[in-house]
């Protein structure tokens, strides 16, 4: 059952995000959507409504889970293959507040920091051979192609050879900040505060890439990384805890 805030969020997504737009305009539209929905007041109203059972809690719970890096990914609004609006919650005192592997996404993304602070790094891949290649340049990493397993949400990681990357940008985003990136952009993000950090995260666009690229300097990855979805009670409890966090100073 859709509540008032859920329906309003769906209408905003449908009205603002157009898959036929050029990529640059899609990025700008995604930026505008999360900035509007990510104000503490707006997000609190949406999360409170969802915590009461509005929307589709069974479907959203099945696509919500604790990420291997230690933050919660809570699906708020699922518009099929076009738009997925999530809350990301980094908790203090976990082992997962470190930096992600460098990666890109299947579609355009945007993130609004609701509370706390997020750091991001952007990278470009350097040629291994040919004009301009330097053996000592860049960060050496192992490259993987990441896909989703059929019949489950598990990540499958296939080795794709060595790579070299160069850092191009470092940003720190305090509460109220927004950034948006094209799907192919190589980046990583992490929370660098002792207080919990909450972001509103949107992936949008029907022209999704078939795989993402993942780079790590920490050695090989397992061939598959399981995702353990939340059940409905755990999902609703997580939304209730998020609402309390949004109400706190």
């Amino acid at each position: 059952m859709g509540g008032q805030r859920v329906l309003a969020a769906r209408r905003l997504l449908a009205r603002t995000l157009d898959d036929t737009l050029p990529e640059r305009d899609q990025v700008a539209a995604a930026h505008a959507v999360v900035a509007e929905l990510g104000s503490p007041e707006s997000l609190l109203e949406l999360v409170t409504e969802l915590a009461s059972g509005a929307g589709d809690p069974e479907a959203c719970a099945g696509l919500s889970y604790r990420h291997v890096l230690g933050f919660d990914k809570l699906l708020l609004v699922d518009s099929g293959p076009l738009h997925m609006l999530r809350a990301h919650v980094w908790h203090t005192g976990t082992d997962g507040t470190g930096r992600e592997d460098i990666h890109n996404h299947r579609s355009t993304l945007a993130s609004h920091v609701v509370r706390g602070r997020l750091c991001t790094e952007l990278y470009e891949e350097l040629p291994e051979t040919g004009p301009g290649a330097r053996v000592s340049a860049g960060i050496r990493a192992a490259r993987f192609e990441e896909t989703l397993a059929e019949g489950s949400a598990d990540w499958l990681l296939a080795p794709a050879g060595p790579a070299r990357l160069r850092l191009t940008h470092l940003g720190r985003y305090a509460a109220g900040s927004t950034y948006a990136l094209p799907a192919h952009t190589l980046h990583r993000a992490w929370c660098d505060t002792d207080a919990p950090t909450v972001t509103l995260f949107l992936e949008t666009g029907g022209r999704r890439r078939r795989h993402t690229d993942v780079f790590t300097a920490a050695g090989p990855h397992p061939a598959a990384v399981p995702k353990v979805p939340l059940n409905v009670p755990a999902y609703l409890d997580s939304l209730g805890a998020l609402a309390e966090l949004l109400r706190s100073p």
Side-chain angles (χ1 to χ4, degrees):
M1 180 178 66
Q4 179 181 355
R5 298 299 175 184
V6 175
L7 294 175
R10 289 186 182 277
R11 286 195 294 267
L12 178 63
L13 292 170
R15 183 174 70 249
T16 309
L17 302 172
D18 184 349
D19 192 43
T20 65
L21 293 173
E23 184 177 57
R24 180 181 63 183
D25 295 337
Q26 287 188 28
V27 171
H31 186 288
V33 166
V34 294
E36 180 171 343
L37 293 177
S39 72
E41 298 79 10
S42 296
L43 185 58
L44 175 58
E45 291 174 350
L46 175 61
V47 169
T48 299
E49 188 173 85
L50 290 168
S52 72
D56 190 346
E58 184 172 359
C60 288
L63 293 171
S64 300
Y65 48 91
R66 170 62 64 89
H67 195 279
V68 292
L69 292 169
F71 61 88
D72 294 334
K73 293 174 70 79
L74 302 175
L75 182 59
L76 306 179
V77 178
D78 181 7
S79 295
L82 291 179
H83 321 301
M84 298 188 77
L85 186 70
R86 301 180 185 269
H88 289 182
V89 186
W90 280 266
H91 301 284
T92 59
T94 68
D95 294 330
T97 55
R99 304 184 189 193
E100 302 171 307
D101 287 332
I102 299 164
H103 64 284
N104 50 30
H105 283 252
R106 287 179 174 78
S107 57
T108 297
L109 66 101
S111 182
H112 180 83
V113 181
V114 183
R115 62 170 293 159
R117 186 172 66 224
L118 203 65
C119 293
T120 66
E121 293 174 340
L122 304 184
Y123 290 84
E124 65 178 2
E125 190 171 2
L126 298 173
E128 283 289 337
T129 60
R134 292 184 297 160
V135 173
S136 61
I139 301 167
R140 292 203 167 273
R143 177 178 185 153
F144 298 83
E145 289 189 356
E146 177 264 320
T147 56
L148 296 177
E150 292 187 11
S152 77
D154 293 354
W155 293 287
L156 300 180
L157 292 157
R164 291 185 303 117
L165 305 174
R166 182 173 73 89
L167 177 67
T168 61
H169 176 76
L170 171 63
R172 285 184 171 85
Y173 296 89
S177 302
T178 306
Y179 67 88
L181 301 171
H184 63 271
T185 306
L186 294 176
H187 65 283
R188 62 179 171 181
W190 68 96
C191 166
D192 72 338
T193 67
D194 293 331
T197 289
V198 177
T199 61
L200 185 65
F201 186 85
L202 171 69
E203 285 189 285
T204 180
R207 299 191 298 271
R208 292 178 178 265
R209 302 169 64 234
R210 297 184 64 180
H211 74 271
T212 62
D213 303 295
V214 177
F215 300 83
T216 177
H221 269 296
V225 178
K227 294 180 183 177
V228 181
L230 299 179
N231 57 33
V232 172
Y235 172 71
L236 295 177
D237 286 347
S238 295
L239 290 174
L242 174 56
E244 289 302 314
L245 183 58
L246 294 172
R247 292 188 187 100
S248 64

